[in-house]
Amino acid sequence: MTISDPIADMLTRIRNAIMARHDSVLIPASKMLLAITKILKNEGFIHDYEVIRSKPQRSIKIYLKYSDKSQPVLSGLERVSKSGLRVYVQQKEIPRVYGGLGIAILSTSKGVMTGQQAWRQKIGGELLCYVW
């Protein structure tokens, strides 16, 4: 099955798994989705991930993170730039998500990174999604 927007599909799968209180979720692997998953791990939104090499396509297994009262650490995911309407920002226009509690994920000329990393490197790019 062909997916027209793999990033939106990834965010929806994670959102649905959190609402159902699953421990992990499987998503189809790509370089972009793996980069976004690494950012989520580094920022502490997910517990861990692993790449499963199976045929016909690789998958990423994301282990979701919950607090001690079984409240999910991820409370929201929002896709910003869509296939029909791309959203680009300059360094001065990079938004702060929930006053710094969340992150913006950007695709820049130097790779996929958080909005704060892009701001420090003084580069802009395509605003992929917000995570809080």
Side-chain angles (χ1 to χ4, degrees):
M1 183 170 101
T2 306
I3 300 171
S4 63
D5 191 357
I7 297 172
D9 179 61
M10 172 190 177
L11 298 178
T12 301
R13 286 181 190 221
I14 293 172
R15 195 178 305 117
N16 290 342
I18 287 173
M19 289 186 347
R21 298 283 192 255
H22 288 291
D23 293 330
S24 62
V25 62
L26 275 173
I27 59 170
S30 71
K31 289 181 182 180
M32 177 71 78
L33 298 183
L34 190 59
I36 293 171
T37 305
K38 286 179 184 177
I39 290 173
L40 292 177
K41 166 88 168 86
N42 292 340
E43 295 294 321
F45 288 108
I46 61 173
H47 184 65
D48 203 5
Y49 69 93
E50 66 176 309
V51 178
I52 299 172
R53 302 186 190 286
S54 61
K55 293 185 180 178
Q57 183 181 1
R58 297 182 309 153
S59 296
I60 302 172
K61 187 171 188 177
I62 298 175
Y63 297 98
L64 302 172
K65 191 174 188 179
Y66 295 95
S67 65
D68 57 346
K69 297 180 182 177
S70 73
Q71 291 294 324
V73 174
L74 270 170
S75 57
L77 301 143
E78 182 183 342
R79 179 80 159 116
V80 177
S81 184
K82 300 174 174 74
S83 58
L85 179 64
R86 301 288 183 191
V87 177
Y88 296 95
V89 292
Q90 295 178 357
Q91 185 253 344
K92 296 175 184 176
E93 301 169 341
I94 296 173
R96 293 185 61 191
V97 181
Y98 281 92
L101 295 177
I103 60 169
I105 299 178
L106 279 80
S107 175
T108 67
S109 58
K110 296 185 180 178
V112 179
M113 61 182 70
T114 65
Q116 190 174 23
Q117 291 169 338
W119 186 79
R120 285 185 188 140
Q121 293 184 18
K122 296 184 175 20
I123 55 175
E126 182 181 356
L127 186 57
L128 298 176
C129 60
Y130 297 138
V131 179
W132 66 92

